[in-house]
Amino acid sequence: MSSHPSFALEIARLHFRYPDRGAGKQGFELQLPSLTLRRGEELLLVGRSGCGKSTLLQLIAGLIDPTSGTVQIGAQDMHALKGAARDRFRGRSIGMVFQTFNLLQGFSALENVLAALLMSDLVSAESCARAETLLRSLGIERLDARVEELSVGQQQRVAVARALACQPTLVLADEPTASLDPENALNAVRVLRDACREQGAALLVVSHDPSLAQHFERRQILEALTVGASVGEGARA
Amino acid sequence: MSDLTIVLRSLQTRAFSSIVVVLLVAVSAGLMLSILSLRSAGERAFERGTGNAHLLVSRDGSPLVSVLNGLFYANAPKAPIDATKLAELRASFPWAMFVPTAIGDSYRGFPVVATDAGFFSSFEPVLGEPWRIAEGRVFDKNFELVLGSAVARETGLRLGAKLTLTHGSGKSREDGGDGSAEHAHEHREYEFTVVGIVAPTGSPHDRALFGTLESSWILHAHDRFEREGASRTVTPADLTDGDRVVTGALLRLPSREASSAPPALVSQYDRLRRDGSITVAIPSNEVARLFGIVKSIDVLFLAMAGATLLSSGVAILLSMINSMSERRRQVAILRVLGASQGRIFWLVLTESTIVGLVGALFGVAICLLVLFVATQWLLGAHGIVIAPEPDARSAVLVAMGTTLLAALAGVVPAVLAYRTSVARGLRPIG
């Protein structure tokens, strides 16, 4: 399969199946014939709990391998890469934002962002300066404050800054508003979208919250994209 | 920001357990190093303390006791050698050195060695290192004293100072003595003058005072007159052969080189040993024998320290495994950010290695403290002079061993971190 140069994400004939759990209990299965996302584009994937949203993000991020099919990030087939090369490619090309932010506890706001640069081997004076600028542009002034000392809203912005630190092609957001109240949720989505737009990164948000739909021009229901997705025992979130 | 920052932050987030484990490692390493250093310093100190005497003659119970009393001033020898026997010994061989000593008096707990001029001209307190006079001169008259360097430092006595001596050790039971203080008494009738201070030798002689034999005999003759009910000021003319006793003699055979044992040593040693009225010792052999005895206890202590060190390695392992649930999330985040499994492995291994290294460094500090306390105690209680320095080779070996052990203890947690499932580590994520 040849990738289109303007695509940030191109999924083709993706099939994933968790092993059967025995005793007649069927394993979870996900089939996605096609999904594309252009550079700088935003997409909201909505789906009920257990329909495989997080599994899809893990497949895109190369954290788990599909049974078959391909996931192209830019021009690179993620699953053609192995081991450290895939890890480094993930760090450089994909930013991730989580429901609980998953910031490194005990680290400062700036260190959380620098950790992303460090793990992707992109630490330089220039990238460090950019990390500081990024945090400030997101309204974080106390760069040396430990993340536990920051408000929930500030932590969310640090998580966004970390996701964008390596100037990724694609940002994946997994239920980014699930732990926020409606006002903060609205704000978080705005921050995330603005930041990605400013950095030119494509944004794929997965959520079970239908109220987010009004903020995204392109939105899809995951179940409608998948073929014969089955949810039984062992269903994934 | 570097990988080291990640490791240090990780330790910081588990500050309490990190500190406890570091302290445990430090105490274990410090204990091990202290034992090794004390053994090595003790050996050096005892080897130095034997000086250049080939033989030591006394009437102590055994050659080892003879050396401990006669050269290390552990206790005052109880049985004297009379003048006739001493003259017989002196005439029995063309000795290169024959220095009689009488030990039994003291000044503020420091032993006083009554001897002759040969003690400073022929005897070397440390083999190959003759006496050096730091201030004044050696005694040449009765009631003159030369101070060892530690005595001068600790008593503050200077040249010209006047003092009186105590017959006996002068230590009360409270001072850690054997209680003989009850029988000790001060010879206020005879005033001594400090005429010299010797330079430090790093041997037990630093903790002694030195005077003439005749002065010592006069003090004891005074006691004799008192016992006979004729108390009076004694002069050399009043001395009898019964007063002219010594407690030992330092002997050296003629030899071409200062350090070599002459061929006649064994034969002379055997000849003197056949005399049942005296005890004869080869000081260097007795010190070696002493360390042979101590060695088995030493091995036991070392085994205990080794076991403690091993248990500190287990503590590192347990502490890191206990923190795995917390660490799993951190590992998963780092993996998402681009860290490879190999890098995660090394980060965890570096963390345990740092715990070992810091523990080892604190261990060296603990060792310095232990050595300081131990050397002060040995000096004060037994007059044994030991340099309070950790043995450099042992320090390097213990530090390396501790660090290696800590690194090994980190292998299991590192493998667990390596195999951490990113998806599980990040839960809940959706």
Side-chain angles (χ1 to χ4, degrees):
Chain A
M1 180 183 172
S2 64
S3 69
H4 193 288
S6 64
F7 285 149
L9 170 68
E10 193 176 1
I11 294 175
R13 293 182 298 280
L14 188 69
H15 178 230
F16 175 78
R17 183 188 174 89
Y18 276 112
D20 287 348
R21 294 174 128 198
K25 291 178 180 172
Q26 193 187 8
F28 173 76
E29 189 172 20
L30 176 73
Q31 287 194 56
L32 187 60
S34 173
L35 177 67
T36 56
L37 195 60
R38 291 180 183 280
R39 288 179 189 272
E41 195 182 2
E42 296 169 357
L43 169 63
L44 171 69
L45 269 183
V46 184
R48 61 189 166 80
S49 286
C51 73
K53 300 187 297 292
S54 296
T55 302
L56 177 61
L57 291 192
Q58 286 168 23
L59 285 163
I60 294 172
L63 295 171
I64 51 175
D65 284 318
T67 314
S68 62
T70 57
V71 175
Q72 297 269 141
I73 308 294
Q76 178 64 52
D77 179 356
M78 171 64 89
H79 297 280
L81 295 171
K82 300 291 173 207
R86 186 195 290 184
D87 293 321
R88 194 177 303 112
F89 178 72
R90 175 177 52 247
R92 291 180 175 192
S93 306
I94 298 176
M96 292 186 83
V97 179
F98 303 92
Q99 175 190 333
T100 50
F101 315 137
N102 280 329
L103 295 174
L104 293 164
Q105 301 299 301
F107 288 60
S108 71
L110 181 60
E111 284 171 342
N112 261 278
V113 179
L114 291 179
L117 294 165
L118 178 69
M119 292 299 124
S120 302
D121 298 327
L122 290 175
V123 175
S124 66
E126 189 192 332
S127 63
C128 292
R130 198 175 61 243
E132 288 187 22
T133 309
L134 189 58
L135 278 166
R136 290 212 166 89
S137 72
L138 289 167
I140 306 294
E141 290 303 325
R142 295 164 60 208
L143 304 185
D144 292 332
R146 284 156 58 123
V147 288
E148 306 91 287
E149 298 165 2
L150 300 177
S151 69
V152 173
Q154 285 173 323
Q155 289 185 25
Q156 214 265 353
R157 277 176 275 162
V158 172
V160 170
R162 188 178 68 182
L164 289 164
C166 299
Q167 297 180 304
T169 309
L170 175 66
V171 172
L172 304 174
D174 190 356
E175 302 279 9
T177 59
S179 57
L180 302 174
D181 58 56
E183 192 186 333
N184 271 324
L186 189 70
N187 203 31
V189 171
R190 186 182 53 75
V191 166
L192 185 59
R193 290 179 63 207
D194 289 351
C196 287
R197 213 171 286 157
E198 209 165 289
Q199 300 283 321
L203 173 64
L204 173 59
V205 176
V206 298
S207 176
H208 70 281
D209 180 5
S211 70
L212 287 183
Q214 57 181 307
H215 303 291
F216 290 85
E217 279 183 21
R218 188 182 167 198
R219 49 193 178 264
Q220 289 187 296
I221 297 169
L222 183 58
E223 288 94 324
L225 288 173
T226 56
V227 176
S230 60
V231 181
E233 282 288 333
R236 296 302 182 268
Chain B
M1 178 110 175
S2 65
D3 281 11
L4 190 63
T5 316
I6 304 269
V7 171
L8 294 178
R9 286 284 177 279
S10 175
L11 285 167
Q12 214 174 354
T13 51
R14 288 179 287 280
F16 182 74
S17 69
S18 301
I19 290 170
V20 168
V21 174
V22 163
L23 284 179
L24 188 59
V25 173
V27 168
S28 311
L31 187 62
M32 174 77 98
L33 189 53
S34 299
I35 292 170
L36 290 171
S37 298
L38 276 173
R39 181 177 67 167
S40 147
E43 265 182 29
R44 274 200 311 272
F46 272 90
E47 277 163 12
R48 281 178 73 83
T50 56
N52 71 336
H54 286 139
L55 294 168
L56 171 62
V57 174
S58 74
R59 287 193 63 204
D60 281 308
S62 75
L64 180 57
V65 173
S66 170
V67 170
L68 289 175
N69 291 347
L71 285 169
F72 296 95
Y73 310 127
N75 283 301
K78 298 281 184 237
I81 299 173
D82 61 43
T84 312
K85 187 73 191 174
L86 190 70
E88 181 193 316
L89 284 170
R90 192 190 291 269
S92 68
F93 188 79
W95 306 106
M97 174 181 86
F98 190 98
V99 177
T101 57
I103 304 165
D105 296 330
S106 65
Y107 173 73
R108 287 171 57 179
F110 296 105
V112 175
V113 181
T115 184
D116 64 16
F119 190 81
F120 287 104
S121 60
S122 306
F123 176 66
E124 293 174 355
V126 177
L127 188 63
E129 296 175 26
W131 292 103
R132 284 187 303 110
I133 303 298
E135 290 177 51
R137 56 176 175 79
V138 298
F139 54 77
D140 59 11
K141 288 197 291 283
N142 288 340
F143 306 111
E144 288 184 343
L145 283 174
V146 174
L147 308 184
S149 61
V151 177
R153 188 179 65 243
E154 289 180 31
T155 59
L157 291 172
R158 309 307 325 158
L159 295 184
K162 306 282 185 193
L163 56 106
T164 54
L165 302 184
T166 303
H167 179 56
S169 72
K171 290 181 188 172
S172 67
R173 282 199 177 94
E174 290 74 32
D175 293 336
D178 59 3
S180 58
E182 289 162 21
H183 309 291
H185 59 270
E186 202 168 332
H187 290 286
R188 293 185 189 279
E189 311 82 1
Y190 303 95
E191 197 173 59
F192 287 74
T193 306
V194 176
V195 296
I197 298 169
V198 287
T201 64
S203 73
H205 306 294
D206 290 346
R207 300 188 61 76
L209 300 86
F210 309 95
T212 62
L213 277 168
E214 210 166 57
S215 313
S216 169
W217 292 334
I218 286 171
L219 297 186
H220 299 133
H222 183 90
D223 287 349
R224 176 171 56 81
F225 280 115
E226 269 187 354
R227 281 195 302 275
E228 292 166 357
S231 187
R232 57 182 234 191
T233 301
V234 180
T235 66
D238 298 319
L239 296 174
T240 64
D241 274 356
D243 296 319
R244 297 175 196 277
V245 296
V246 297
T247 57
L250 299 165
L251 278 56
R252 185 170 171 80
L253 285 77
S255 65
R256 285 183 185 164
E257 289 175 39
S259 58
S260 65
L265 178 59
V266 177
S267 60
Q268 287 307 308
Y269 174 63
D270 283 341
R271 178 181 66 81
L272 292 173
R273 275 179 66 191
R274 280 195 290 275
D275 184 343
S277 68
I278 55 167
T279 299
V280 57
I282 299 175
S284 56
N285 285 7
E286 293 310 313
V287 166
R289 206 157 65 85
L290 176 67
F291 275 92
I293 297 165
V294 171
K295 207 166 192 171
S296 54
I297 302 165
D298 202 31
V299 167
L300 188 70
F301 276 122
L302 276 176
M304 282 165 66
T308 316
L309 200 58
L310 205 63
S311 66
S312 72
V314 174
I316 294 176
L317 173 69
L318 290 177
S319 133
M320 292 185 83
I321 284 181
N322 280 342
S323 65
M324 269 322 279
S325 60
E326 195 183 331
R327 192 184 298 277
R328 214 168 264 136
R329 178 169 291 272
Q330 191 191 57
V331 167
I333 296 168
L334 293 175
R335 290 292 315 283
V336 164
L337 296 179
S340 66
Q341 285 179 294
R343 193 164 184 178
I344 295 294
F345 180 90
W346 285 112
L347 282 174
V348 177
L349 208 62
T350 305
E351 188 178 318
S352 66
T353 307
I354 284 176
V355 168
L357 186 63
V358 174
L361 293 178
F362 275 114
V364 174
I366 287 175
C367 169
L368 286 172
L369 188 69
V370 168
L371 287 182
F372 177 77
V373 173
T375 50
Q376 290 302 310
W377 177 75
L378 283 169
L379 197 64
H382 300 289
I384 297 169
V385 182
I386 288 181
E389 295 157 9
D391 181 52
R393 199 171 67 100
S394 302
V396 172
L397 284 176
V398 168
M400 280 172 62
T402 307
T403 309
L404 186 68
L405 187 70
L408 283 174
V411 168
V412 172
V415 168
L416 291 175
Y418 176 92
R419 296 173 61 180
T420 291
S421 154
V422 179
R424 267 176 52 192
L426 292 177
R427 274 180 194 166
I429 59 171

